[in-house]
Amino acid sequence: MNVKFINARILGEVDLKQLYIKGNIIHKISNIIQEPADRVIDLKGKLLMSGFVNAHCHNPMTLLRGIKDDVNLQTWLFDYMFPNEAKLSEEDLYYGELLGIAESIRSGITCIEENYFSCQGNIEAIKKSKIRARFGITTERESDDFVKDFDECLISFKDSNLIVPSIFIHSIYTTSEQEIMEQTAYAKAHNLPVSIHLSETLEEVGECMTKHNQTPVEYLESLGFFDRPATAYHCVHMDKDDVKILADYNVNVVTCPSSNLKLGSGIAPVHTFLENGINVALGTDGPASNNSLDMFKEMYLCSCLQKAHFYDSSVVSASQTLKIATENGAKMMGFKSGIIKEGYLADLIVVDINKLHYYPCDNMESNLVYAGRADDVVLTMVNGEILYENGKFNLGFDLDYVIKKCFEIRKRLEK
Ligand SMILES: [Zn+2]
């Protein structure tokens, strides 16, 4: 299907433009486009921009939202998340993933980096939903043969162009030295990138120093983890040498400000990462530690926390933050998206700026980051297909049924 948007205010442009989508590609951006389209959408001055890339999430944790708040990461994870997750079946994960994806699409997220402890349920849900994703294959549940599990999981990716695989190692405190090395070797053998939660809390860093006399970053470097294209989530507690290692190996960093704040973990030095040329992307983390999937909230925190942390209001500008929330995440996952540009994938959103909190609509980058709200999104398109428009979803599943199932699962968990 070919779609033409007319009277569009495109982020970064002053005049109203037309944008033509041919199949799944942004084919043309111009003042007037003559090509006929299957559908013409008059945006009447609404803002057209790249969809958000949520570079770190665990969507099935929608099922655990609010199950335990106001405790630190270690208590939250080991005493509440892991025991509850042990009760979740593949089918539960499937419904939890779909619920998270619906919330994401409603909020203008067009691409996700999903990691959860199972394969089939999540991947099936992602494929059904039609969102773009990179999915991290992992071994959270007891398994004596990860190679067999990983091999089997990789088959699930074959028939989709929207989802690509990576290898996800949960963290250095839940994975042994040998497992990290073996799984990194597996990633190398299959030419896959790797990812990990890294230096999220002071406890993690302290424990690693005691055990190995190395920071978590130095420890992973010594195990050859960064020899693969790598992504590190959180990176809250970093010294100068850690930052240099991440920069030297071109490691992508994903910052998750809400989750770090809510779990009392700290503030990641995003400004320092950017100064060192590190590709920084933005993620919500799971909805049990955030507790929403709202990239507007993350953008506000991502920028403003740095200003407070460094006592400098000039750092991590609105323009840098928007890049972090879109382009940088797509770059990290290797998708040709995240930018409104001819030849790029049509992963777009429309934001209704005809609202009091955007007026007088002068500096749109500033307005989006410092005043914007997820509810302002009125259209979400992934790969040239409209998945949400003016209150109506066009997903590959029955959302009402998914919501009903999720309520039942949660009831069962609380028994
Ligand atoms: Zn996480």
Side-chain angles (χ1 to χ4, degrees):
M1 183 158 156
N2 302 333
V3 178
K4 183 156 66 173
F5 290 104
I6 60 170
N7 293 316
R9 178 159 177 178
I10 297 172
L11 191 60
E13 311 252 1
V14 183
D15 301 328
L16 296 181
K17 295 257 185 203
Q18 300 194 352
L19 185 143
Y20 187 71
I21 290 152
K22 204 172 184 178
N24 65 341
I25 301 291
I26 301 171
H27 182 65
K28 203 169 187 183
I29 303 168
S30 184
N31 288 332
I32 293 176
I33 297 169
Q34 303 290 0
E35 278 107 319
D38 301 307
R39 193 171 162 207
V40 177
I41 302 174
D42 186 349
L43 291 184
K44 298 187 172 100
K46 294 192 190 82
L47 187 82
L48 190 62
M49 63 176 282
S50 164
F52 295 108
V53 177
N54 186 356
H56 180 55
C57 65
H58 316 284
N59 278 334
M61 290 183 106
T62 43
L63 299 168
L64 308 174
R65 184 173 0 228
I67 216 161
K68 188 63 189 174
D69 304 306
D70 312 324
V71 288
N72 68 21
L73 178 91
Q74 304 300 325
T75 309
W76 175 82
L77 194 60
F78 287 96
D79 296 353
Y80 296 94
M81 295 303 121
F82 288 164
N84 274 301
E85 286 172 341
K87 298 180 207 164
L88 295 174
S89 68
E90 283 290 342
E91 197 192 354
D92 297 338
L93 298 178
Y94 171 79
Y95 289 115
E97 179 72 56
L98 288 179
L99 184 63
I101 290 174
E103 182 183 349
S104 303
I105 285 169
R106 172 65 190 86
S107 312
I109 294 167
T110 50
C111 179
I112 57 171
E113 166 101 331
E114 172 64 279
N115 300 299
Y116 215 45
F117 60 81
S118 189
C119 174
Q120 301 307 341
N122 294 300
I123 293 179
E124 213 182 300
I126 293 169
K127 281 183 180 173
K128 199 149 200 122
S129 72
K130 301 182 278 187
I131 200 167
R132 195 179 302 283
R134 184 167 78 169
F135 182 80
I137 304 171
T138 194
T139 55
E140 265 316 288
R141 281 177 168 164
E142 291 305 314
S143 168
D144 43 16
D145 189 353
F146 86 86
V147 173
K148 184 172 157 278
D149 295 346
F150 284 15
D151 282 350
E152 276 174 15
C153 189
L154 270 180
I155 297 167
S156 324
F157 292 86
K158 290 231 154 74
D159 57 346
S160 175
N161 60 345
L162 284 176
I163 177 169
V164 296
S166 66
I167 298 298
F168 167 53
I169 295 171
H170 180 274
S171 58
I172 60 164
Y173 55 88
T174 55
T175 319
S176 72
E177 194 171 309
Q178 194 193 341
E179 286 166 334
I180 294 174
M181 289 197 291
E182 284 176 357
Q183 289 172 28
T184 306
Y186 183 95
K188 188 178 178 199
H190 293 79
N191 196 24
L192 295 171
V194 291
S195 65
I196 193 164
H197 292 114
L198 184 60
S199 299
E200 186 172 354
T201 62
L202 282 173
E203 287 81 358
E204 177 187 337
V205 178
E207 204 180 284
C208 189
M209 290 301 294
T210 310
K211 257 191 183 163
H212 308 289
N213 198 29
Q214 289 172 308
T215 66
V217 174
E218 289 166 344
Y219 171 64
L220 281 182
E221 186 195 20
S222 72
L223 301 184
F225 182 83
F226 298 130
D227 295 336
R228 296 301 311 147
T231 295
Y233 312 122
H234 300 301
C235 300
V236 176
H237 302 284
M238 295 267 140
D239 65 23
K240 254 191 183 163
D241 294 337
D242 289 337
V243 175
K244 191 174 179 313
I245 292 170
L246 295 182
D248 287 349
Y249 285 90
N250 286 321
V251 176
N252 300 284
V253 167
V254 180
T255 186
C256 307
S258 288
S259 180
N260 297 153
L261 285 180
K262 185 162 176 289
L263 291 166
S265 303
I267 298 169
V270 170
H271 169 56
T272 308
F273 297 144
L274 295 174
E275 290 274 280
N276 283 271
I278 292 172
N279 184 50
V280 180
L282 186 64
T284 58
D285 209 352
S289 66
N290 183 306
N291 291 4
S292 64
L293 299 165
D294 179 347
M295 291 290 281
F296 285 85
K297 179 174 82 172
E298 296 311 310
M299 285 200 297
Y300 181 87
L301 289 174
C302 175
S303 171
C304 293
L305 280 173
Q306 296 303 305
K307 300 174 191 307
H309 187 63
F310 288 92
Y311 301 105
D312 181 353
S313 58
S314 73
V315 304
V316 190
S317 66
S319 163
Q320 282 176 303
T321 306
L322 277 164
K323 200 167 165 246
I324 287 171
T326 54
E327 195 180 328
N328 291 5
K331 184 180 164 198
M332 170 191 118
M333 295 182 220
F335 292 123
K336 197 176 176 187
S337 60
I339 314 175
I340 299 273
K341 198 172 168 186
E342 290 174 4
Y344 275 64
L345 289 164
D347 291 359
L348 316 167
I349 60 171
V350 174
V351 180
D352 185 1
I353 52 172
N354 187 23
K355 293 189 168 184
L356 288 176
H357 58 274
Y358 286 106
Y359 291 158
C361 296
D362 185 31
N363 181 347
M364 282 320 303
E365 288 185 333
S366 159
N367 288 353
L368 286 166
V369 174
Y370 303 127
R373 301 171 192 165
D375 275 358
D376 303 331
V377 174
V378 290
L379 185 149
T380 304
M381 171 185 270
V382 179
N383 211 37
E385 190 172 353
I386 295 169
L387 302 186
Y388 172 81
E389 188 176 5
N390 296 322
K392 285 199 181 110
F393 286 96
N394 167 36
L395 300 165
F397 58 92
D398 178 350
L399 181 57
D400 289 338
Y401 183 71
V402 168
I403 293 168
K404 185 175 150 264
K405 290 299 279 185
C406 290
F407 272 67
E408 284 169 15
I409 296 163
R410 179 55 173 265
K411 241 190 194 141
R412 199 190 74 221
L413 286 179
E414 289 187 340
K415 256 185 200 159

